Structure formats: C-alpha cells, structure tokens
Amino acid sequence: MYVGTLSFDLLLGDVHSLKEKRSVVRPIVAELQRKYAVSAAEVDHLDLYRRAIIGLAAVSGDAAHLTDVLDRCERLVAGRPEVELLSVRRRFHGEDD
C-alpha cells in the first residue's frame, strides 16, 4: 500500500472576503475529488481571504499509479487561472515506512 499527500499553498487573485474565497476554493476541492477520487480539503489559512492551503491524500496499491494521480492533481491546481500556486509539498509513504 502506498499513500501520497500534497499540500498546495495558494494565493488567490481578486478576492475581498471569505465568501469570495469559498467560491474560489470549493470548486477546486470538488474537482480534485470528482476527477481523481482523492480526499481533499482546505486545511489552513482559513481566516485569511487571499491565502489558502489545500491538502489532499490518495491511497493506491501501485506506486506508479499513485505518482501519476498526484502529478495530475498538481497540474490541475497549477493550471487554474484564478489562483497562483506558491508552493507544493509532496509526501510519499511506501510499504517500507
């Protein structure tokens, strides 16, 4: 069994309230969950309206498949024009951990 996690540090564009922030972050989280069957949520900077941390986790029996899913998730978030991806933190836990 392999477990992979990603943490995306995002700077949101023209957002002036927490309500506007939710309207940007929620669709990203929902698309990650729908397209790639990962567990995803906004996990930090909850009280800042121009910053967000989205965390996600995925489990697979195949390391190559898990790496592919994490790569696709990263490309999806990086390709969103309404956010600037400041950093990505990736962790991979294999059977030896």
Side-chain angles (χ1 to χ4, degrees), residues 9-92:
D9 187 359
L10 304 174
L11 177 64
L12 283 61
D14 190 29
V15 173
H16 302 288
S17 70
L18 292 175
K19 187 175 181 178
E20 288 180 23
K21 175 186 179 178
R22 280 194 308 274
S23 72
V24 172
V25 173
R26 279 188 179 172
I28 295 171
V29 169
E31 187 173 3
L32 287 166
Q33 292 170 334
R34 187 181 70 252
K35 275 189 158 180
Y36 302 112
V38 297
S39 179
E42 182 181 1
V43 295
D44 202 0
H45 298 315
L46 301 175
D47 56 343
L48 301 176
Y49 62 86
R50 291 213 54 224
R51 293 287 300 275
I53 303 284
I54 295 176
L56 73 80
V59 178
S60 178
D62 180 30
H65 172 69
L66 182 58
T67 301
D68 182 52
V69 169
L70 295 178
D71 289 344
R72 288 172 187 244
C73 290
E74 187 172 340
R75 283 194 299 272
L76 184 144
V77 174
R80 298 296 291 242
E82 68 272 22
V83 299
E84 180 181 342
L85 183 58
L86 299 177
S87 68
V88 179
R89 183 175 181 188
R90 181 182 293 223
R91 288 193 173 179
F92 196 86

